[in-house]
């Protein structure tokens, strides 16, 4: 399927177009990763407060059992991803470097649950559906891990005009969403119907970039067959189009105000993986205990897309791919633009882990940083209209208030500025540090 590129939509100013490297894994069908002998399940896998631990060492847990309860709406429940015994409750570091308490479950016993048949969700009202999504721990699966029930709680008198399904997957190398759209098309469409019942949007759009022609064709075919009122919009391949603000700009031409939410322009955006998780939670009665993870990269023998139990150590997925094809330089959780370099492959897969990337030694070599030449490329590349060079200078001089006044908190850490900088200035690391320090200083 070929698209007339010039007529395809995309967002305005900024952004970059890195090589997508999707071919490492985009033809690899999703397969089940092995059940880990021990699942390390963090209680902090989402934005907001950590879940409160409900189990003790020695307790027996069933697959899907609630082991961490959300203390408020700005949090999410956590469930046992495997059956077994609670071996330990300990503090760990996540791939992001953030600390979390984790429940370590030693695999024992039988899987009782088994996927139930499609549930009778059509009899339920929007609030009941929202409660099911909350109970089953659904968060944004694109990486942000924002609790989905909050996103779906609309304001009185502000109807949702458009529900947008984000099938963009603009980070190079990642193919989990691509495979999901190809292999679980019907489930995704049913997930959309569940969300339609909750939000009653006037229209539903699925945004997909042109580099996934087979997913576009499959989605359109299934939508036609069902006669569903859903439009698949083909977008130019461009990074960071998966950011919800950029995606809304591309699809609707409207801009979410600084510090605002998509709801401010009548829109709600959910990743395609989230919609699939909603389908599983509501139609199959299954809490969020596994997710699709792309394990890929040039230094890996057999890149793959896995369905992985939450709490599985990253190292076991690398082994399942046959190990390394060459000496690895860096292992990254997420994609190359926004991911986190891993110090320890023992870290667990969590709800927000979309991919594991193994870069070669050559790709990971440190580059020589030189002084800023004032070329302005970072300014032109920033899709959020910021001046990264100015922000970086304020942060270097520990002038965090000035950096905040210049829009530091609007930085989405997309990495476009660092990607284009000829002086190899670690701009994104600077932004992260600046935000951390600004928050610390209140
Ligand atoms: S990392 Fe921040 S400053 Fe740099 S391009 Fe992205 S949004 Fe702009
Ligand atoms: S791209 Fe790099 S060298 Fe150019 S202005 Fe920005 S920080 Fe300076």
């Amino acid at each position: 399927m070929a698209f007339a590129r010039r007529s395809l939509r995309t967002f305005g100013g900024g952004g970059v177009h890195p090589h997508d490297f999707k071919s490492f894994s985009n033809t690899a069908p999703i397969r089940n990763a092995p059940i880990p002998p021990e699942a390390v399940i963090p209680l902090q896998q989402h934005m907001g407060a950590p879940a409160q631990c409900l189990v003790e060492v020695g307790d027996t847990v069933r697959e899907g059992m609630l082991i961490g309860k959300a203390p408020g709406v700005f949090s999410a429940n956590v469930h046992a991803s495997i059956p077994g015994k609670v071996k330990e409750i300990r503090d760990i570091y996540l791939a992001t470097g953030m600390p979390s308490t984790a429940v370590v479950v030693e695999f024992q016993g039988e899987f009782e649950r088994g996927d139930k048949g499609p549930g009778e969700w059509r009899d339920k009202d929007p609030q009941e559906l929202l409660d099911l999504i909350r109970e089953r721990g659904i968060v944004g699966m694109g990486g942000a891990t924002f609790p989905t029930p909050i996103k779906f709680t609309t304001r009185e008198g502000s109807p949702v005009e458009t529900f947008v399904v984000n099938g963009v997957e603009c980070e190079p190398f990642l193919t989990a969403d691509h495979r999901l759209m190809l292999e679980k098309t019907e489930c995704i469409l049913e997930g959309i119907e569940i969300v339609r019942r909750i939000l009653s949007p006037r229209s539903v759009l699925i945004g997909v970039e042109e580099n996934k022609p087979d997913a576009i064709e499959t989605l359109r075919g299934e939508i036609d067959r069902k006669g569903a009122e859903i439009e698949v919009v083909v977008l130019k391949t461009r990074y960071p189009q998966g950011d919800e603000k950029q995606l809304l700009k591309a699809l609707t031409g409207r801009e979410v105000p600084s510090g605002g939410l998509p709801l401010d322009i009548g829109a709600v955006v959910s990743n395609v993986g989230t919609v699939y998780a909603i389908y599983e939670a509501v139609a199959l009665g299954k809490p969020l205990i596994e997710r699709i993870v792309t394990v890929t990269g040039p230094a890996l023998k057999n890149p793959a897309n896995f369905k992985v139990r939450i709490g599985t150590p990253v190292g076991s997925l690398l082994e399942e791919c046959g190990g390394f094809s060459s000496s690895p330089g860096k292992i990254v959780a997420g994609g190359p633009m926004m991911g986190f370099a891993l110090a320890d492959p023992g870290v667990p897969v969590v709800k927000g882990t979309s991919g594991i990337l193994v870069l070669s030694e050559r790709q990971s070599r440190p580059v020589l940083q030189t002084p800023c030449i004032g070329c302005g490329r970072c300014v032109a590349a920033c899709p959020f209209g910021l001046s990264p060079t100015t922000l970086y200078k304020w942060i270097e001089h520990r002038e965090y208030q000035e950096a905040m006044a210049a829009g530091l908190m609007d930085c989405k850490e997309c990495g476009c500025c660092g990607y284009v900088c000829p002086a190899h200035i670690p701009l994104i690391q600077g932004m992260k540090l600046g935000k951390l320090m600004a928050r610390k200083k209140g």
Side-chain angles (χ1 to χ4, degrees), residues 3 8 24 36-37 79 89 123 152 182 197 269 285 309 354 375 389 429:
F3 305 106
L8 298 181
F24 278 105
H79 302 80
I89 296 171
D123 299 338
F152 286 180
L182 266 179
R197 170 72 58 85
V269 183
R309 300 273 161 165
S354 49
C375 65
T389 175
Q429 288 85 344

Side-chain angles (χ1 to χ4, degrees), residues 195-243:
V195 180
R196 199 194 290 274
R197 170 72 58 85
I198 297 171
L199 296 175
S200 304
R202 296 222 172 104
S203 62
V204 177
L205 306 176
I206 308 179
V208 189
E209 288 188 338
E210 61 181 318
N211 61 356
K212 303 171 195 64
D214 48 356
I216 293 163
E217 199 174 349
T218 307
L219 280 165
R220 283 182 170 165
E222 193 58 29
I223 288 167
D224 281 352
R225 198 181 67 75
K226 282 187 161 351
E229 286 181 31
I230 301 170
E231 187 188 349
V232 179
V233 183
V234 185
L235 300 164
K236 246 183 217 169
T237 302
R238 192 157 161 223
Y239 180 88
Q241 197 146 238
D243 172 83

Side-chain angles (χ1 to χ4, degrees), residues 237-261:
T237 302
R238 192 157 161 223
Y239 180 88
Q241 197 146 238
D243 172 83
E244 60 183 17
K245 290 190 178 182
Q246 305 305 333
L247 180 58
L248 285 171
K249 241 195 264 180
L251 290 175
T252 69
R254 298 183 65 192
E255 198 146 338
V256 179
S258 166
L261 295 170

Side-chain angles (χ1 to χ4, degrees), residues 381-384 386 388 391 410-417 428 431:
C382 180
F384 298 91
L386 303 172
L391 290 171
D410 284 336
C411 167
K412 291 295 194 76
E413 300 173 15
C414 68
C416 290
C417 51
I428 185 163
M431 304 303 154

